[in-house]
Amino acid sequence: MTQAQARPAGVRPSTETLERRGSITTDRDGGPGPLDGPEAAVILERARATVDPELRAAVESLPASLRRITRYHFGWEHADGTPAAGNAGKAIRPALVLTAAAAIGGPRARAAAVRAAVAVELVHNFTLLHDDVMDRDATRRHRATAWTVFGDADAILAGDALQALALRLLAEDPHPASAAAGARLADCVVELCAGQQADTALEKRGPGEVGLDEVLTMAEAKTGALLGCACALGALYAGAADEDVVALDAFGREAGLAFQLIDDVIGIWGDPGHTGKPAGADLAARKKSLPVVAALTSGDPAAAELAALYEVPYDEEDLQRTALAVERAGGRDWAQAQAAERMARAMQELARAVPEPEEAGGLLALAEFVTRRSN
Amino acid sequence: MTQAQARPAGVRPSTETLERRGSITTDRDGGPGPLDGPEAAVILERARATVDPELRAAVESLPASLRRITRYHFGWEHADGTPAAGNAGKAIRPALVLTAAAAIGGPRARAAAVRAAVAVELVHNFTLLHDDVMDRDATRRHRATAWTVFGDADAILAGDALQALALRLLAEDPHPASAAAGARLADCVVELCAGQQADTALEKRGPGEVGLDEVLTMAEAKTGALLGCACALGALYAGAADEDVVALDAFGREAGLAFQLIDDVIGIWGDPGHTGKPAGADLAARKKSLPVVAALTSGDPAAAELAALYEVPYDEEDLQRTALAVERAGGRDWAQAQAAERMARAMQELARAVPEPEEAGGLLALAEFVTRRSN
């Protein structure tokens, strides 16, 4: 249990690593991979440009004390309040909102969905502020996290205010889809909370006490839910039929889970040239990531060896042995097959809602960017 | 500074003491005062009965992990998940929603406003869960606080989920006022966060560094805002004119501030027979309550003595001297005069929105109950 409690900062993947990959718009840290393509970069850059003015206006509406914490969190200000160049993350979720709206309803729907895109980005950042407090993560987007600078109370309160701001934006929006979008986003917040709760609870349990299904459910709640919700909100704002809203939600969820699986593989075996995450980081932290739990629950003889290694604190010499045990127990193959299956399901859902390849192209490019398939 | 950082648990007044006064419906702890009258007790009991089924249904919709924490927080379950008799607080805020709706629109408006009443109660409890984490308060409603039982992460996440649940209830409500109510409630959450932020920040500053205006603003944000919002939501659901919504918001805010002023007086000089709060508790905690800051900023010679006492940690022998210094510097008189002035303003606002005394009677009774005028 000790190693789980003493889990070092910055090793939890999911939402964080979607952020950590440098900013396409400000630097080329790692550069785009073979399938990230210029198209995803252009979509993300355009989304950031569309969303930023409304996002900043929403933050400006906060009382000064909360605005200061929020501006720092978004990278717009240094801790002392002076302006910063800013790295507010890649805007993947707002890009999904806008691109889903455009895929179904064209440029007019994209323009109408800007508030929904801002609301999703606010919710995402509210969860980052709170997750960092709970996980004691000291770094985000290459900067000190808000709680390390302002204290726990300020970070919690800024997060609370961002959730309120997100749902207020939708409550105030006269668009006919705004109420349904607000209800859906609020539901998603509940699922995100359940996912984070499951994650913190799982990390406290022993390696033999965790089932694969519950880790998959946790990953879907923590990572898939908001990506799915972003797509669903775009569809709602484009006036999509109910079944298309559901299909686009499923598309985002499956792509999100594919991302998580691949990120977990990278967290063990590394990803040459793509992320700053060193190979083995998740193993060193004794993280019960998807490939690890798949290996632990495989019934293979290597599973017992892995469980024994996970019972004791991290030892650098055991790192290769641990990675090998995960691999021998089938964790790597399972994760890669699962990721491929999830992406195939995502494509099916996308084709169902947006059958015209030309219209689906933007969402496809974003899904490929998010999963950054290095296999 | 040390005494501020080491502030004992359970001394912050405002929202907490509105809860702490025993439950009218479950026991007679302290008994109703001369002006609490049977009417307020009846209104509160009826509000609890109206709101509880919807409140429980909302909580039941949460995923199991978050439901457990929430049920415990509401006093419906013990920490081990077995049913508890329950003391979910006095339902003052939902009673204000329902009573304001009834005052303007009669029984039909009261019935239509139930979801809004539940939403306000959920928001109130979300702030309690988070405030207890930030303030390290170990006890609420005579029970161990959620964070002491489940840990910080679970308490933060349950609070996050309750905010989402509150705003979802309004987003899903087909009532024509629901969107305006949702926007108003979300705005109120931002103000509550700013109030709590100001409170935690003020307590870290020295006794000479706090202005009376900022403490009044903090108290209005922390205590007045949600009472005002509750009344405004009731008015909105009754289809009130804009100026009546504004007047009822002001009524709730002013009554809330009157409550806070009187509660602060009780925190220094005690309230024979009414609360369990011992005389001097706020002074012992070096709390910068309203009478204390009024005294510190009075310019009276006793202010300097008070400041000197507040600069050093609490000493039991100094307690009487400290209380006397606040009194001599005019803190007690100022607080009582301010409370009376705030109540008078509340009555004016009420008369503006609800001129018929018979229709205004319920809100009047609640305001008197809340302020429990023992002077």
Side-chain angles (χ1 to χ4, degrees), chain B residues 60-144:
Chain B
E60 288 311 300
S61 78
L62 290 173
S65 57
L66 302 171
R67 202 162 62 215
R68 182 168 155 251
I69 308 156
T70 306
R71 279 188 186 148
Y72 173 83
H73 167 77
F74 276 114
W76 303 337
E77 276 184 11
H78 298 293
D80 64 4
T82 56
N87 171 7
K90 277 220 236 341
I92 286 161
R93 291 160 194 80
L96 285 172
V97 177
L98 299 176
T99 311
I104 286 178
R108 192 170 297 184
R110 184 187 185 275
V114 174
R115 277 200 199 177
V118 174
V120 167
E121 186 70 348
L122 287 168
V123 160
H124 175 52
N125 282 280
F126 130 61
T127 65
L128 297 182
L129 279 159
H130 282 194
D131 287 0
D132 286 343
V133 170
M134 290 177 237
D135 302 340
R136 310 318 284 166
D137 279 338
T139 310
R140 158 145 342 258
R141 298 167 187 155
H142 311 290
R143 301 167 76 231

Side-chain angles (χ1 to χ4, degrees), chain A residues 252-265:
Chain A
R253 276 177 188 268
E254 297 292 352
L257 212 52
F259 152 73
Q260 188 59 67
L261 285 152
I262 287 163
D263 195 65
D264 282 358
V265 168

Side-chain angles (χ1 to χ4, degrees), chain A:
Chain A
M1 295 290 246
T2 337
Q3 73 278 18
Q5 282 153 7
R7 190 162 54 83
V11 297
R12 179 160 305 181
S14 75
T15 51
E16 189 185 348
T17 36
L18 269 176
E19 296 298 319
R20 200 160 42 189
R21 296 173 171 174
S23 168
I24 279 281
T25 55
T26 55
D27 64 274
R28 294 266 166 184
D29 202 14
L35 276 161
D36 300 344
E39 202 191 349
V42 170
I43 293 170
L44 290 168
E45 202 157 348
R46 251 190 92 204
R48 177 56 73 206
T50 305
V51 161
D52 258 2
E54 293 260 6
L55 180 65
R56 284 182 185 257
V59 170
E60 288 312 299
S61 77
L62 290 173
S65 57
L66 302 171
R67 203 162 59 215
R68 182 168 155 249
I69 309 156
T70 307
R71 277 187 188 149
Y72 173 83
H73 167 77
F74 277 115
W76 302 337
E77 276 184 12
H78 299 293
D80 63 4
T82 55
N87 171 8
K90 276 219 236 342
I92 287 160
R93 291 160 193 80
L96 285 172
V97 177
L98 299 176
T99 311
I104 286 178
R108 193 172 296 183
R110 184 186 185 276
V114 174
R115 277 200 200 178
V118 173
V120 167
E121 185 70 347
L122 288 168
V123 160
H124 174 53
N125 282 280
F126 130 61
T127 65
L128 297 182
L129 279 159
H130 282 195
D131 287 0
D132 285 343
V133 170
M134 292 178 236
D135 303 340
R136 310 319 283 166
D137 279 337
T139 310
R140 160 148 338 261
R141 298 168 188 156
H142 312 290
R143 302 167 75 230
T145 45
W147 72 267
T148 67
V149 175
F150 300 99
D152 285 11
D154 279 10
I156 293 171
L157 290 165
D160 289 343
L162 292 195
Q163 182 187 173
L165 215 49
L167 294 168
R168 193 190 74 187
L169 271 184
L170 295 178
E172 283 176 348
D173 191 352
H175 192 285
S178 63
R184 202 165 184 116
L185 186 57
D187 256 343
C188 179
V189 167
V190 172
E191 191 175 353
L192 292 167
C193 293
Q196 169 72 0
Q197 201 284 334
D199 195 10
T200 55
L202 283 172
E203 290 301 329
K204 286 186 200 135
R205 279 150 61 186
E209 301 161 3
V210 175
L212 189 52
D213 277 355
E214 56 182 343
V215 187
L216 277 167
T217 304
M218 180 275 283
E220 185 174 335
K222 220 186 131 158
T223 311
L226 191 53
L227 297 184
C229 183
C231 297
L233 259 54
L236 280 171
Y237 266 74
D242 285 353
E243 63 265 28
D244 292 337
V245 176
V246 170
L248 279 185
D249 192 313
F251 158 75
R253 276 177 188 268
E254 297 292 352
L257 212 52
F259 152 73
Q260 188 59 67
L261 285 152
I262 287 163
D263 195 65
D264 282 358
V265 168
I266 292 170
I268 299 175
W269 294 280
D271 174 27
H274 275 305
T275 70
K277 198 170 181 175
D282 283 356
L283 296 183
R286 298 302 190 223
K287 171 127 192 87
K288 292 176 204 83
S289 67
L290 288 159
V292 168
V293 177
L296 285 168
T297 56
S298 64
D300 189 281
E305 187 194 344
L306 177 60
L309 285 162
Y310 253 56
E311 287 285 6
V312 294
Y314 168 64
D315 176 345
E316 204 162 328
E317 288 179 20
D318 285 339
L319 195 57
Q320 285 223 312
R321 227 179 110 208
T322 314
L324 201 63
V326 179
E327 190 154 5
R328 275 176 32 232
R332 185 177 195 162
D333 287 348
W334 173 86
Q336 280 173 334
Q338 268 284 318
E341 197 183 312
R342 298 288 179 164
M343 270 304 270
R345 280 195 226 167
M347 295 306 113
Q348 277 170 14
E349 300 286 356
L350 179 58
R352 186 174 308 173
V354 191
E356 198 59 60
E358 205 159 301
E359 286 154 7
L363 286 172
L364 183 62
L366 286 176
E368 282 173 342
F369 172 81
V370 161
T371 52
R372 265 186 171 255
R373 293 187 289 184
S374 49
N375 55 325

Side-chain angles (χ1 to χ4, degrees), chain B residues 109-265:
Chain B
R110 184 187 185 275
V114 174
R115 277 200 199 177
V118 174
V120 167
E121 186 70 348
L122 287 168
V123 160
H124 175 52
N125 282 280
F126 130 61
T127 65
L128 297 182
L129 279 159
H130 282 194
D131 287 0
D132 286 343
V133 170
M134 290 177 237
D135 302 340
R136 310 318 284 166
D137 279 338
T139 310
R140 158 145 342 258
R141 298 167 187 155
H142 311 290
R143 301 167 76 231
T145 44
W147 70 269
T148 67
V149 175
F150 300 99
D152 285 12
D154 279 10
I156 293 170
L157 291 165
D160 289 342
L162 292 194
Q163 184 188 172
L165 215 48
L167 293 168
R168 193 192 70 186
L169 270 185
L170 295 178
E172 283 176 349
D173 191 351
H175 192 285
S178 63
R184 201 164 185 117
L185 186 57
D187 256 343
C188 179
V189 168
V190 172
E191 192 175 352
L192 292 168
C193 293
Q196 169 73 0
Q197 201 284 333
D199 196 8
T200 55
L202 283 172
E203 290 302 328
K204 285 186 202 137
R205 279 150 60 184
E209 300 162 2
V210 175
L212 189 53
D213 278 355
E214 57 183 342
V215 186
L216 277 167
T217 303
M218 181 273 283
E220 184 174 334
K222 219 185 135 160
T223 310
L226 191 54
L227 297 183
C229 183
C231 298
L233 260 54
L236 280 171
Y237 267 73
D242 285 354
E243 62 266 29
D244 293 337
V245 176
V246 170
L248 280 185
D249 192 314
F251 158 76
R253 277 177 186 266
E254 297 291 352
L257 213 51
F259 152 74
Q260 189 59 67
L261 285 153
I262 288 163
D263 195 67
D264 282 358
V265 168

